[in-house]
Amino acid sequence: MRTYVVGDVQGCHTQLTRLLEDARFKPETDRLWFVGDLVNRGPESLATLRFAKAMGSHAVVVLGNHDLHLLAVHYGIRKPKAKERVEEILEAPDREELMEWLRRRPLMHRDPVAEITMVHAGIAPEWSLEDARAYAGEVEEALSGPDPTRFLEAMYGDEPATWDEGLQGMERLRTITNYLTRMRICDAQGRLDLAYKLGLDGIPDGYYPWFSVPGRRTAGQRIIFGHWAALQGQSGRSDTVALDTGCVWGHSMTLLRLNDWRFFRCPCTELAQPPGNGNSDR
């Protein structure tokens, strides 16, 4: 059995299929990890959801910020925007089944044998892997429970911007969610700047890529993440692997085979966005 990890698909199902064919992926025996953001902006979000769900135990999906936003739209908390291209999902006969499956996906996956962790955006510098797993579980419990709407209504917002173990209620869950699904940079105390979306060269003074914060507790642990397309797959570190290479923006989709650490990429120039339609969070 081989295990592959794919960067943010964002509804680019045709390109995903092409990439898996190039890598000679065998759905009957191999496993595929998705680093989050299955949906949004690409033309085939419904097909992507159906494909991942149909893989059953052969797929591992962690939730990204766009997946969470889709759930908020599904529950009527937010209205969909045209650029999000989720109308097909909202009109699908299997919509309820897909959304029930989606809201039960984790925010973090850890393979203890391979000693590899996967999250969508990153792990707060002051958290250990054990901390991150416990905090992710708090959000997962709220989202997969009988009524996820209370959490989904409260998850929007950039504050609190700094983690504090004393945080409670929805502020606590929002902050955990922002670290795991939206973070790119923070300062030495872990204070988030969620407005920043450029690459490594323009980071404001006093801030760092989350994976380069001095004293990060998970330094040396292999962590695979997506979300930050502007990195173009280059974190500059051997312990953090960036897999979002901007397929939906007309760049490429990246697949990593964990067995031999081989990367596969396919160009996605046909998906180039019009000028001024830059990347954004939810």
Side-chain angles (χ1 to χ4, degrees), residues 100-151:
E100 282 296 300
W101 171 82
L102 187 64
R103 76 182 180 99
R104 287 175 168 82
R105 297 311 94 198
L107 271 71
M108 172 180 167
H109 175 69
R110 171 75 176 168
D111 186 324
V113 176
E115 297 186 333
I116 296 172
T117 300
M118 177 175 65
V119 292
H120 180 61
I123 295 175
E126 58 267 54
W127 296 353
S128 66
L129 289 179
E130 292 75 17
D131 292 336
R133 176 63 271 167
Y135 299 146
E138 294 180 30
V139 178
E140 292 160 11
E141 182 177 2
L143 189 59
S144 63
D147 181 13
T149 58
R150 185 165 174 262
F151 163 72

Side-chain angles (χ1 to χ4, degrees), residues 181-222:
T181 70
R182 297 181 62 203
M183 175 174 60
R184 293 184 181 93
I185 65 172
C186 57
D187 68 12
Q189 288 71 48
R191 175 172 289 276
L192 293 164
D193 179 349
L194 294 171
Y196 186 81
K197 296 166 188 172
L198 303 178
L200 296 178
D201 293 337
I203 295 175
D205 290 343
Y207 283 81
Y208 306 84
W210 67 267
F211 44 80
S212 296
V213 172
R216 175 171 64 91
R217 292 186 65 190
T218 53
Q221 301 282 349
R222 287 200 292 185

Side-chain angles (χ1 to χ4, degrees), residues 35 38 58 64 69 91 97 109 114 122 125-126 133-134 140 144 155 159 168 171 203 217 221 243 248 269 271 274 281:
V35 80
L38 293 177
H58 286 262
H69 178 67
E91 296 171 0
E97 183 180 346
H109 175 69
E126 58 267 54
R133 176 63 271 167
E140 292 160 11
S144 63
M155 76 172 177
E159 298 290 338
Q168 297 181 358
E171 281 197 339
I203 295 175
R217 292 186 65 190
Q221 301 282 349
L243 282 189
V248 77
T269 53
L271 293 171
D281 285 336

